[in-house]
Amino acid sequence: MRGIIFTEFTTFAEEAFGMVAVQDALDRCDLASGGGYTAVGNYPYAELEAILTALLAAHPDVDAEKALYDFGFWLAGRFKTLYASFFAPHDNAMSFLDSIDGHIHTEVRKLHPDAVPPQVLLARETDDRYHLTYQSHRPLAAVAIGLTAGSLAAFGGDWTITASETTEGGRAMTLIMTRDKAT
Ligand code: HEM
């Protein structure tokens, strides 16, 4: 998995749990990479799971799905800064979300043949109701829901996720988004 996900996740975790907690978790994991991630590297996905497991072991009050959702929401804001050119062509959230599969993740695959981004597809039901499906070989549906919610917020919050269903142990997910009618 691309190093950017690791560097962003450890930054997020430092903000959420503190630098000491993250360093402790990295130390306890005995990672093959040594835990010195760079954004341009590529690392086994299992290391991300190991770090999360170690962090949560020290914070039994924190729910794993909630932590992954929060990471996704936070990551959308980071992507907006780091990859502004992927946001700039879109004046609304549905247009942006519709560009993930055909443009954003396609560019990621082209630039980094070792990357395997998930399939994220948008479908219009009515002008005010769309659904989004996520399919991956990794169980990161909660990150996808958070990323979607963060993207909706980044475009002004006219849209809300009104339902979501995760299946295949987190490897597949469908969510519904509806637009709050302007009054
Ligand atoms: C500018 C916006 C975005 C960029 C630059 C981007 C880029 C990436 C990159 C580089 C990866 C790592 C893939 C790998 O190493 O195999 C990734 C994974 C991922 N992306 Fe995107 N992405 C963006 C937007 C989104 C959005 C809006 C969603 C919402 C559903 C999304 C869902 C995911 C998820 C859930 C993963 C984790 C890996 C997995 O589930 O298999 N991405 N993305």
Side-chain angles (χ1 to χ4, degrees), residues 38-166:
T38 69
V40 295
N42 201 55
Y43 307 94
Y45 165 67
E47 294 202 359
L48 195 74
E49 279 195 332
I51 300 165
L52 182 66
T53 303
L55 271 171
L56 296 180
H59 295 83
D61 49 317
V62 177
D63 177 64
E65 296 297 291
K66 167 90 168 61
L68 288 172
Y69 172 93
D70 288 348
F71 169 53
F73 193 98
W74 179 91
L75 187 60
R78 290 286 295 155
F79 278 168
K80 199 182 174 199
T81 305
L82 294 170
Y83 302 101
S85 63
F86 284 131
F87 286 79
H90 306 287
D91 62 0
N92 69 82
M94 294 308 119
S95 164
F96 170 73
L97 293 174
D98 196 34
S99 76
I100 300 171
D101 203 66
H103 183 216
I104 301 175
H105 283 172
T106 301
E107 286 300 308
V108 168
R109 276 187 215 101
K110 268 196 244 164
L111 283 169
H112 310 288
D114 50 6
V116 192
Q119 186 186 60
V120 179
L121 296 174
L122 185 76
R124 177 187 168 282
E125 293 177 12
T126 68
D127 279 354
D128 299 313
R129 186 179 156 105
Y130 281 67
H131 69 254
L132 178 142
T133 55
Y134 161 87
Q135 181 84 51
S136 177
H137 64 296
R138 308 180 184 109
L140 293 178
V143 176
I145 300 171
L147 265 165
T148 305
S151 301
L152 298 182
F155 280 92
D158 303 340
W159 292 83
T160 315
I161 299 174
T162 48
S164 67
E165 188 184 14
T166 296

